[in-house]
């Protein structure tokens, strides 16, 4: 029995193989490996794709979030509100930036940061001092809200922007899972003050390894990002600040340029597959994904919910169907977060969802017989 993969990277490779090899040959012949023409062209192309003024390529998605925070002047003594239901890299990046993560609950429909939970936290625990919000629990200054556009569905950005504006907070997008997603016709990556992208190889737009980028329409933030990614250099050997070593690789930029041309087509195919799954699984005791009327979901992951999740997961694996759990342990309950004082029961929606979510095969090269087999196997499980 053929294995149906959760993600098929080889099929993507075959589609761009010829063009990628041509670009790689040019790069290796020239040996221009340091922020070369492909990085520069990709930054312009990705900025244009997202309809923002600037894109700064960096080493990884985690570093993209980290440097996005730093570019806003946020650091030691500050704190950031973000969801617990995300990949742990979001939280790591906040901590790497020297800031304090405040983890709050999510919207149960779209699994993204709940504006109501953000507002309730601010009203319950923060007081205004000198036009700043001081957190009574931590003694730190709340500086930003960091929503995650999870699974390919954007967060409710207007509601979050309203809160940010009311309290003079920055808004930072984690768009690592939402390349090409839209909120009210506008691309994620163009909705906050800055936005972080990951090009980890399994993403909708993925490199053949690691990569990341930060997008913004603010020239000052973009200039800071360029210095931060290169040891704080304004130009070679002139270091104006303490920075980092986090540059997008020239070979990976070539891959991303080839894939970016196909991203809209690939996202459209993901939406077709999601629509088929939604219709075919509708009668089963599963909760299929919902898409807000203001959203354009790009289904980085197709995530269902089941009260029999672990049994279904095991059954699908036994039948040769790749599936995953994103994510089984909420960030606030991870061992690494113990010192922050969270406990079970603090975030009920997040904790409930973590016990039920299951990711089904989702990639643009799934064949019709693959998706039919996925649905048939799930039906057999429930029968």
């Amino acid at each position: 029995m053929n294995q149906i993969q959760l993600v098929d990277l080889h099929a993507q490779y075959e589609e761009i193989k010829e063009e990628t090899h041509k670009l790689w040959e040019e790069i290796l012949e020239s040996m221009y490996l340091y922020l070369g023409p492909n990085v520069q062209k990709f930054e312009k192309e990705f900025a244009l794709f997202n309809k923002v003024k600037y894109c700064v390529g960096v080493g990884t998605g985690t570093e993209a979030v980290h440097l996005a925070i730093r570019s806003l002047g946020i650091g030691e003594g500050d704190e950031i509100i973000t969801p617990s239901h995300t990949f742990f890299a979001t939280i790591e990046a906040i901590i790497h930036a020297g800031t304090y993560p405040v983890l709050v609950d999510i919207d149960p429909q779209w699994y993204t940061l709940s504006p109501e939970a953000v507002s309730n936290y601010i009203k319950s625990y923060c007081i205004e001092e000198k036009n700043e919000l001081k957190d009574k629990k931590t003694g730190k200054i709340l500086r930003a809200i960091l929503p995650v556009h999870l699974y390919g569905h954007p967060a409710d950005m207007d509601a979050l922007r309203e809160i940010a504006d009311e309290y003079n907070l920055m808004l930072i997008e984690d768009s690592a899972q939402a390349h090409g997603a839209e909120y009210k016709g506008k691309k994620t990556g163009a909705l906050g003050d800055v936005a972080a992208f990951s090009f980890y190889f399994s993403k909708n737009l993925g490199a053949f390894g690691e990569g990341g980028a930060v997008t913004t329409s603010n020239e000052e933030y973009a200039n800071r990002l360029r210095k931060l990614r290169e040891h704080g250099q304004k130009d070679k050997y002139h270091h104006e600040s303490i920075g980092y070593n986090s540059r997008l690789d020239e070979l990976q930029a070539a891959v991303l340029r080839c894939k970016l041309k196909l991203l809209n087509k690939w996202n459209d195919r993901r939406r077709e597959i999601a629509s088929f799954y939604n219709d075919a699984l509708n009668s089963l005791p599963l909760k299929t994904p919902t898409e807000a009327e203001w959203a354009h979901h790009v289904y980085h992951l197709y995530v269902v919910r089941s009260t029999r999740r672990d049994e279904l997961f095991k059954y699908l694996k036994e039948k040769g169907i790749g599936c995953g759990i994103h994510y089984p342990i909420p960030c606030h309950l991870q061992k690494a977060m113990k010192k922050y004082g969270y406990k079970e029961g603090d975030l009920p929606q997040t904790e409930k969802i973590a016990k039920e979510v299951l990711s089904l095969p989702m990639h643009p090269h799934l064949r019709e017989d693959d998706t039919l087999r996925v649905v048939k196997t799930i039906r057999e499980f429930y029968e």
Side-chain angles (χ1 to χ4, degrees), residues 34 67 223-247:
Y34 174 84
L67 299 184
N223 288 336
R224 286 182 192 168
L225 285 159
R226 292 188 190 102
K227 284 193 286 187
L228 283 166
R229 74 174 173 182
E230 272 200 278
H231 307 288
Q233 292 184 134
K234 183 178 180 182
D235 47 55
K236 197 168 184 180
Y237 302 133
H238 293 83
H239 304 267
E240 296 188 338
S241 59
I242 301 297
Y244 306 87
N245 179 10
S246 182
R247 295 181 290 267

Side-chain angles (χ1 to χ4, degrees), residues 77 79 134-141:
E79 70 179 21
K134 185 174 182 180
D135 191 321
K136 293 180 289 185
K137 289 174 68 177
T138 66
K140 299 183 183 297
I141 303 300

Side-chain angles (χ1 to χ4, degrees), residues 51-117:
K51 292 184 170 56
V52 295
K53 292 182 180 179
Y54 309 104
C55 167
V56 180
V58 298
T60 69
T62 309
E63 290 165 4
V65 179
H66 173 203
L67 299 184
I69 294 167
R70 289 285 193 188
S71 74
L72 301 179
I74 300 172
E76 300 293 336
D78 299 329
E79 70 179 21
I80 296 174
I81 291 180
T82 200
S84 175
H85 188 57
T86 180
F87 181 54
F88 196 69
T90 307
I91 315 305
E92 279 182 321
I94 291 171
I95 295 169
H96 286 328
T99 53
Y100 191 97
V102 173
L103 309 186
V104 301
D105 224 336
I106 54 174
D107 184 289
Q109 287 190 82
W110 308 305
Y111 315 136
T112 55
L113 185 63
S114 163
E116 183 181 5

